[in-house]
Amino acid sequence: MANAERQMPGHVEAAYKDAVDNIIFLKRQQWVATNYALLLYAAVFAMAQHIGLTDFARNSLGIVAICTFFIHWYMMYLFQQAIEKFRGRLFWIYRTYFNGEEQAGLELPLAPQSSWDQWQVARALVIVSFVGCAFTAIYLWSVR
C-alpha cells in the first residue's frame, strides 16, 4: 500500500489483531464447552451405572443432563454472537483498507457471511451435545 492515505493506522492494526485473536479464542471455547458437556453426560451415565437408581435419582440425573444441554446451547449462542461481532469488525477493516483487487487477490470476503453460514461449526457442536444428552436420558429412563 504505497498510498499514504490508505495505510492502516496503528490503532486499526491493534483492533484487527484483537478481533482475530478473539475469534480464535472463542472458537476454541466452543470446543472446550462441548467437551465439558460431553464429560458431564459421561459422568451422569457412569454415576447411573454405579449407584442404585431410585426414581428420584434417575429424575435428578436426567434434569442435570437436560440442563447441561440447554446451558451448552446458550453458551454456543453467546460465543457465536461474539464471533459475528468480531467478524463484522474484520469485514469493516477489509472494506476500508483493501481495494477490490486486493480483496479478490487475498480472497477476502466481499460481504459479511450470513448468520446461518457462520453457525456451521456451532450447529454441529450443539447437535453432538444433543445426541449425548439424548443417549444419557434414554439410558436413565429406560434402565430399571
Side-chain angles (χ1 to χ4, degrees):
M1 292 187 207
N3 189 336
E5 63 194 28
R6 290 191 54 230
Q7 289 294 323
M8 192 180 302
H11 66 281
V12 175
E13 287 181 28
Y16 177 85
K17 180 168 177 17
D18 178 60
V20 170
D21 290 345
N22 277 302
I23 289 172
I24 291 168
F25 173 76
L26 290 165
K27 283 292 185 182
R28 284 186 185 145
Q29 290 306 108
Q30 286 180 325
W31 286 93
V32 168
T34 302
N35 287 337
Y36 281 130
L38 294 176
L39 282 172
L40 192 57
Y41 298 140
V44 167
F45 187 84
M47 197 180 315
Q49 286 184 329
H50 293 301
I51 64 171
L53 285 181
T54 63
D55 284 341
F56 178 75
R58 181 178 288 116
N59 291 334
S60 297
L61 290 173
I63 289 170
V64 168
I66 291 169
C67 288
T68 299
F69 170 73
F70 282 110
I71 291 169
H72 178 257
W73 173 83
Y74 184 66
M75 293 305 299
M76 291 294 108
Y77 174 78
L78 292 178
F79 290 147
Q80 199 59 39
Q81 291 298 102
I83 289 170
E84 288 177 21
K85 179 182 79 169
F86 289 116
R87 283 186 175 159
R89 290 180 185 177
L90 290 178
F91 174 70
W92 180 86
I93 292 170
Y94 297 155
R95 187 182 64 227
T96 304
Y97 292 100
F98 297 91
N99 64 34
E101 181 180 311
E102 291 169 335
Q103 288 179 358
L106 295 171
E107 297 180 13
L108 299 176
L110 300 176
Q113 282 182 310
S114 72
S115 290
W116 186 252
D117 290 339
Q118 291 186 27
W119 268 85
Q120 288 175 337
V121 172
R123 222 179 8 249
L125 295 175
V126 169
I127 290 170
V128 167
S129 179
F130 178 77
V131 169
C133 179
F135 283 156
T136 303
I138 289 169
Y139 176 78
L140 285 172
W141 285 308
S142 66
V143 174
R144 292 280 173 192

